[in-house]
Amino acid sequence: FDGFDHNAQTLRILTKLEHRYAAFDGLNLTWETLEGVVKHNGPVVGPLAARTKPLPAAIVEYARLHDLELATHASAEAQVAALSDDIAYNNHDIDDGLRAGLFGVADLADVPLAGPAFAEATAKYGPLELGRLIGESVRRIIDRMVNDLLTETRARLAAARPASPDAVRRLGRPVAAFSPAMAWEMKGLREFLHARMYRHPRVNEVREHAKQVVRDLFDLLLASPEHLPAEWREQAEGPNTAPTARLVADYIAGMTDRFALDEHTRLYKKN
């Protein structure tokens, strides 16, 4: 049924699934905002695209109505937003992993970015309670990442001298970027987090349970759409059809974790 793509799903929410206005579905957002949702990681078609899979139907359908220039880069603002997300989640995951006990401060000693930051905070303040040590160290990692991003982006803008937003889109490479040295350090940090956090047995157990909940909900609601709430059930086109599959995917994608677990318990007790 064309699978699930989070960028495409966001586009569907913003252009179709939100029902706030009488005259149209979706939200009243600018072309640049929607372009950024789809292309913040770079072109999605053409020679510059990193993507090898076919485009999700939602993106193809919307681009037919409003050309998002899928073969070009997004705006500078969208590029910065994507890299800001990298900064946020890497540092958030260091915090989460330490507080959850998935790894310890000593394990970070040889990890790029993290090791030097924790050593610097300890050298300056001596022994600290874990919360303060994390706060002092993570803020140093964020500072290094942000300053590197600013320096590299300013250098790229000075070299390219784009005269307009469209010139930014057509440069052939991003204007917002980390330096090669920082990109290498971030790669080392992500490798550590993958090995010690994302693939930790405790995390894997939760992930596999979550996958099973989603699979169960999808299979049941696709085969028996009468279990959907009334406003969703009215849109279903019958069991096991492609339109119903997309409807069920939209419904599940809008669930919070807690609601999905509660619905799984309710429906599988019922059935």
Side-chain angles (χ1 to χ4, degrees), residues 3 8 61 110 162 164 177 181 190 193 206 213 231 248 252 257 263:
E61 290 166 8
D110 296 323
S164 68
R190 282 194 296 269
L193 290 170
V206 174
V213 166
E231 64 272 22
V248 170
I252 294 172
D257 295 349
E263 278 294 276

Side-chain angles (χ1 to χ4, degrees), residues 56-126:
I59 296 176
V60 174
E61 290 166 8
Y62 187 81
R64 286 197 193 110
L65 296 173
H66 299 103
D67 184 7
L68 295 176
E69 301 180 10
L70 300 177
T72 68
H73 284 276
S75 67
E77 292 89 343
Q79 294 177 37
V80 169
L83 297 174
S84 298
D85 191 44
D86 290 347
I87 293 171
Y89 76 68
N90 278 311
N91 284 284
H92 192 279
D93 287 349
I94 293 171
D95 190 327
D96 272 359
L98 287 168
R99 291 180 190 274
L102 301 179
F103 51 84
V105 172
D107 297 319
L108 295 169
D110 296 323
V111 176
L113 293 170
F118 277 82
E120 182 183 321
T122 300
K124 183 171 183 178
Y125 295 106

Side-chain angles (χ1 to χ4, degrees), residues 175-243:
V175 294
F178 296 108
S179 69
M182 176 58 68
W184 179 257
E185 289 190 284
M186 290 177 69
K187 180 176 181 288
L189 174 58
R190 282 194 296 269
E191 287 172 351
F192 172 84
L193 290 170
H194 271 282
R196 298 298 299 272
M197 182 175 179
Y198 309 144
R199 300 303 173 197
H200 192 282
R202 281 164 51 195
V203 177
N204 280 339
E205 183 179 349
V206 174
R207 181 187 296 110
E208 290 307 312
H209 178 59
K211 286 181 180 179
Q212 191 60 54
V213 166
V214 172
R215 287 192 194 101
D216 288 347
L217 287 171
F218 182 82
D219 290 344
L220 174 63
L221 295 172
L222 177 61
S224 305
E226 65 270 17
H227 292 298
L228 288 164
E231 64 272 22
W232 290 85
R233 187 167 62 243
E234 292 167 359
Q235 302 174 61
E237 294 191 13
N240 300 312
T241 63

